[in-house]
């Protein structure tokens, strides 16, 4: 059974896949590694995720932040079962074909466990956008690393070109591309990803135009949930995605609905209640985002306190359906 298969027996809870997210900010590599290795032994947890920032977006500005893809590669080599990825990769940090090569390598290292999470990346946004209080944190981050912010429309167009590039270089022996923003000549990507025709594609975000791109190309849609976005808002955005699918003639059930939820260690009952509301709203992949510091045994605690009682899908059955 896949993560998007509906349960035919209404007496049973719907199948839901659970993951964890360890934000690599103000926390040591050793602590992240400890949590991932424990989660790898907990079958109720199907996947694990990092993020893609180069400076802290909260807390002390001089705190440590680990680069997402190099950290992911290290963790891929040390785990055996978990599906893994970034929520989400910024499309503004790496050229698309370089990202495609990196993703192919991580898929090989992991034995075919990568889900490629993608987002628009840094764009010009007003203060408070995305549920983060204060000025757009991408401004300081991109200035510090010599990157440039772009208007949202351009960021979305660049993301669409990246999706085309990834699919082309993963499936063709030699690949050329001429787009408005990117140009490739004689691209070769060997070895190809273990997963064919490539790793599942997750696109993260909530804008109406981005949801159109999700309906066109993605295997998984991810959106931040509480406390950044309410359950009601997540449900409303899901209806927008459904409308795009209807216009395109795509079965909306072929897209895994993924949402991030911030865990409360002190009040797991509230976290469980929030998860229940999101599942009732049609979300079938719940990523439990862990506040720092990570308690000892946190993966087993999540399985017992948050996931217990739900019909969870293990990693062995967790690969989303692949779009045509």
């Amino acid at each position: 059974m896949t993560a998007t298969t509906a349960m035919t027996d209404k007496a049973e809870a719907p199948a839901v896949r659970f993951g964890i997210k360890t934000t690599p900010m103000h926390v040591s590599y050793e602590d992240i590694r400890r949590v991932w290795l424990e989660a790898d032994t907990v079958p109720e947890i199907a996947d694990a995720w990092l993020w893609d920032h180069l400076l802290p977006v909260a807390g002390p500005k001089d705190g440590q932040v680990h680069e997402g893809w190099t950290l992911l590669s290290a963790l891929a080599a040390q785990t055996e079962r978990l599906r893994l990825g970034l929520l989400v990769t910024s499309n503004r940090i790496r050229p698309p074909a370089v990202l495609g090569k990196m993703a192919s390598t991580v898929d090989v290292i992991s034995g075919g466990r990568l889900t490629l999470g993608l987002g628009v990346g840094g764009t010009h946004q007003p203060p408070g956008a995305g549920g983060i209080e204060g000025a757009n944190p991408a401004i300081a981050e991109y200035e510090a690393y010599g990157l440039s912010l772009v208007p949202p429309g351009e960021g979305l167009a660049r993301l669409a070109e990246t999706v085309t590039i990834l699919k082309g270089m993963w499936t063709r022996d030699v690949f050329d591309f001429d787009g408005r923003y990117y140009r490739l000549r004689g691209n070769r990507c060997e070895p190809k990803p273990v997963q064919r025709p490539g790793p599942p594609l997750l696109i993260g975000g909530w804008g109406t135009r981005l949801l159109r791109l999700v309906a066109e190309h993605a295997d998984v849609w991810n959106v931040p949930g509480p406390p950044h976005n309410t359950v009601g808002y997540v449900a409303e955005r899901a209806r927008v995605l459904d409308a795009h699918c209807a216009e395109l003639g795509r079965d909306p059930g072929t897209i895994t609905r993924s949402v991030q939820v911030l865990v409360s260690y002190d009040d797991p009952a509230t976290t469980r209640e929030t998860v229940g509301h999101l599942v009732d709203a049609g979300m079938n992949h719940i990523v439990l985002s862990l506040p720092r510091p990570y308690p000892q045994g946190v993966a087993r605690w999540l399985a017992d306190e948050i996931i217990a009682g739900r019909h969870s899908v293990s990693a062995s059955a967790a690969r989303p359906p692949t779009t045509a």
Side-chain angles (χ1 to χ4, degrees):
M1 179 179 294
T2 66
T4 55
T5 301
M7 299 297 293
T8 56
D9 185 351
K10 293 183 180 180
E12 294 186 38
V16 181
R17 188 166 92 249
F18 285 89
I20 61 168
K21 181 179 181 182
T22 54
T23 301
M25 173 182 72
H26 303 309
V27 65
S28 71
Y29 164 68
E30 290 76 17
D31 277 351
I32 296 170
R33 177 180 179 273
R34 168 177 59 83
V35 173
W36 278 55
L37 291 180
E38 181 189 348
D40 203 35
T41 69
V42 177
E44 295 92 336
I45 297 174
D47 40 69
W49 304 85
L50 303 170
W51 73 347
D52 196 23
H53 287 283
L54 306 173
L55 291 179
V57 299
K61 296 184 183 300
D62 60 351
Q64 59 180 322
V65 172
H66 304 285
E67 194 280 322
W69 273 93
T70 45
L71 179 57
L72 186 68
S73 182
L75 296 169
Q78 297 177 78
T79 52
E80 297 180 355
R81 182 190 60 84
L82 292 167
R83 293 201 61 84
L84 42 85
L86 268 62
L87 285 179
V88 286
T89 303
S90 167
N91 192 52
R92 298 291 302 125
I93 294 178
R94 305 162 192 85
V98 174
L99 174 61
K101 184 66 172 176
M102 293 166 57
S104 298
T105 300
V106 172
D107 201 50
V108 169
I109 291 170
S110 69
R113 292 182 286 127
L114 176 69
T115 296
L116 181 54
L118 269 177
V120 169
T123 62
H124 299 296
Q125 297 287 342
I132 299 176
E133 295 182 1
N136 179 4
I139 296 174
E141 180 180 27
Y142 279 42
E143 286 181 349
Y145 280 86
L147 304 169
S148 59
L149 299 175
V150 298
E154 179 181 333
L156 188 63
R158 287 177 177 270
L159 180 60
E161 288 191 14
T162 292
V163 171
T164 301
I165 288 170
L166 293 175
K167 292 185 176 184
M169 66 186 291
W170 287 340
T171 56
R172 301 184 195 176
D173 292 336
V174 182
F175 179 58
D176 295 337
F177 180 79
D178 284 290
R180 180 176 180 182
Y181 300 103
Y182 305 110
R183 179 179 181 273
L184 305 179
R185 283 292 178 271
N187 174 274
R188 296 177 184 268
C189 183
E190 297 295 342
K192 294 284 192 289
V194 172
Q195 301 175 91
R196 309 299 294 150
L201 178 62
L202 177 152
I203 294 179
W206 53 88
T208 298
R209 289 181 296 174
L210 181 133
L211 290 172
R212 181 76 174 194
L213 191 66
V214 171
E216 291 171 340
H217 297 291
D219 302 295
V220 187
W221 166 53
N222 180 268
V223 60
H228 301 298
N229 292 309
T230 66
V231 174
Y233 184 74
V234 171
E236 186 274 330
R237 292 289 87 190
R239 291 191 292 270
V240 172
L241 176 58
D242 290 340
H244 285 313
C245 288
E247 291 176 4
L248 294 168
R250 181 176 181 183
D251 177 2
T254 62
I255 302 174
T256 297
R257 312 299 176 96
S258 175
V259 61
Q260 301 174 54
V261 178
L262 186 65
V263 170
S264 172
Y265 301 136
D266 296 327
D267 188 7
T270 295
T271 303
R272 287 196 304 271
E273 182 180 13
T274 299
V275 168
H277 291 321
L278 289 164
V279 172
D280 290 342
M283 307 306 287
N284 52 14
H285 179 221
I286 309 297
V287 179
L288 300 169
S289 184
L290 306 183
R292 62 188 188 277
Y294 308 135
Q296 293 290 332
V298 66
R300 185 69 258 168
W301 181 88
L302 290 171
D304 294 341
E305 294 292 333
I306 307 298
I307 303 174
R310 294 207 167 267
H311 182 72
S312 60
V313 178
S314 67
S316 61
R319 191 191 196 283
T322 301
T323 55

